[in-house]
Amino acid sequence: MPKLCVNIDHVATLRQARGGVEPEPLWAAMLAEKAGAHGIIAHLREDRRHMQDEDMRILSKVVQGRFNMEMAAVEEMVEIAMELKPTVCTLVPERRQELTTEGGLEVKGNFEAVRNITQTLIAAGIEVSLFIDPEPEQLRAAHLTGAQTVEFHTGTYANAAAAGQAKHLTALQDSARLASKLGIKVAAGHGLTLRNLEPLLQIEEIEEYSIGHSIVARALFVGFETAVKEMLELINRPRISKAALAAPPSYRF
Ligand code: PXP
């Protein structure tokens, strides 16, 4: 079954709205793990709009499962990562004006810089994941950096109207297949919700989902543990595998 890692940035966004101490991202991390999440993700942005350095320090000590530090590919963040030693660093593009991460990392066009940072982090024992659009050129460049994982940006799929989702799903499926052939682990995330996740679950190569906003939003009404459990239930729901679907009808039940 794929893993669920919960991005808790927006717990910090709510706290920063008042500049106080609540809600505390640490509680969200603990409740998410109690509910069965396999890991916690936090993005330390250069403008510190949600997570603060102290949050990252605490989370890096307390998270029991995979702690994934999302970060821009810049020296300042590399230094912090080298000190905190998260399980994973996910390299993402970052623009100050954006509301959220708006696209995948341009790996091909910044190859040397991304490869150097990737290799520095790997040498420190940190797994590296590159957040990219599901495009073969970016994927092949990501592979050449030595990164162990790619996280496919699902935002375009998630934001497309229902009628337009099929072509994005195909691009994700094709890229996931290629990643698997290249020996890279596949994760996926951005904009995923209880409504749009199900079709993606048919892509067997996706080993991990990174979901934040929709879980934090739903947690306001049902509580954090329940919101995480609902997502896990959907991910773990038994599915007819593609192999079973391809089998002659007499083997189906
Ligand atoms: N993956 C990456 C690389 C992201 O930047 C984000 C958003 O911070 C997510 C996953 C989670 O996206 P969402 O909050 O829309 O679930």
Side-chain angles (χ1 to χ4, degrees):
M1 284 295 170
K3 294 187 169 68
L4 171 65
C5 294
V6 179
N7 180 314
I8 57 170
D9 289 346
H10 295 312
V11 178
T13 302
L14 192 53
R15 179 192 60 196
Q16 297 308 108
R18 284 291 169 96
V21 295
E22 61 182 10
E24 169 59 73
L26 172 64
W27 289 12
M30 290 168 72
L31 289 171
E33 290 207 297
K34 184 163 173 269
H38 302 91
I40 300 297
I41 305 167
H43 184 174
L44 185 65
R45 293 186 76 105
E46 291 178 271
D47 63 9
R48 308 298 197 271
R49 70 171 71 157
H50 36 56
M51 287 293 163
Q52 306 297 303
D53 295 52
E54 187 59 13
D55 294 319
M56 304 302 281
R57 254 189 291 282
I58 293 170
L59 291 169
S60 69
K61 291 202 172 70
V62 172
V63 171
Q64 304 285 305
R66 292 164 66 74
F67 177 50
N68 186 334
M69 173 175 171
E70 224 184 273
M71 57 186 241
V74 295
E75 202 47 46
E76 181 200 7
M77 293 300 151
V78 174
E79 277 172 23
I80 296 173
M82 301 288 276
E83 190 197 323
L84 300 182
K85 295 273 169 62
T87 327
V88 191
C89 280
T90 299
L91 303 186
V92 299
E94 216 175 273
R95 283 185 294 274
R96 286 188 185 237
Q97 306 81 352
E98 69 191 358
L99 285 177
T100 177
T101 317
E102 282 169 359
L105 194 64
E106 176 50 60
V107 183
K108 193 169 173 238
N110 300 297
F111 183 73
E112 291 298 324
V114 177
R115 185 185 57 188
N116 290 344
I117 290 180
T118 299
Q119 288 301 323
T120 302
L121 294 168
I122 290 176
I126 302 168
E127 179 182 325
V128 175
S129 176
L130 302 181
F131 183 60
I132 59 171
D133 290 318
E135 292 167 1
E137 285 198 335
Q138 295 298 338
L139 180 53
R140 289 185 201 282
H143 175 54
L144 293 176
T145 66
Q148 299 99 326
T149 305
V150 287
E151 179 181 335
F152 288 133
H153 185 347
T154 51
T156 321
Y157 157 76
N159 293 333
Q165 278 183 340
K167 70 171 193 277
H168 299 298
L169 207 53
T170 304
L172 286 159
Q173 170 71 83
D174 292 349
S175 297
R177 218 170 267 156
L178 176 58
S180 168
K181 273 199 199 126
L182 294 170
I184 310 185
K185 194 176 117 186
V186 181
H190 214 284
L192 299 178
T193 67
L194 288 171
R195 287 204 185 87
N196 65 22
L197 181 61
E198 196 154 12
L200 280 183
L201 295 171
Q202 295 298 331
I203 303 178
E204 287 162 7
E205 292 82 0
I206 299 178
E207 293 182 37
E208 189 174 300
Y209 289 95
S210 157
I211 306 182
H213 185 269
S214 71
I215 290 179
V216 175
R218 191 148 168 83
L220 289 174
F221 305 109
V222 299
F224 217 89
E225 271 188 86
T226 303
V228 172
K229 277 186 185 151
E230 285 175 345
M231 200 60 84
L232 276 168
E233 252 171 54
L234 176 59
I235 290 173
N236 292 331
R237 196 179 287 170
R239 289 183 295 283
I240 303 176
S241 74
K242 267 188 274 169
L245 280 173
S250 57
Y251 295 110
R252 286 196 216 148
F253 52 89

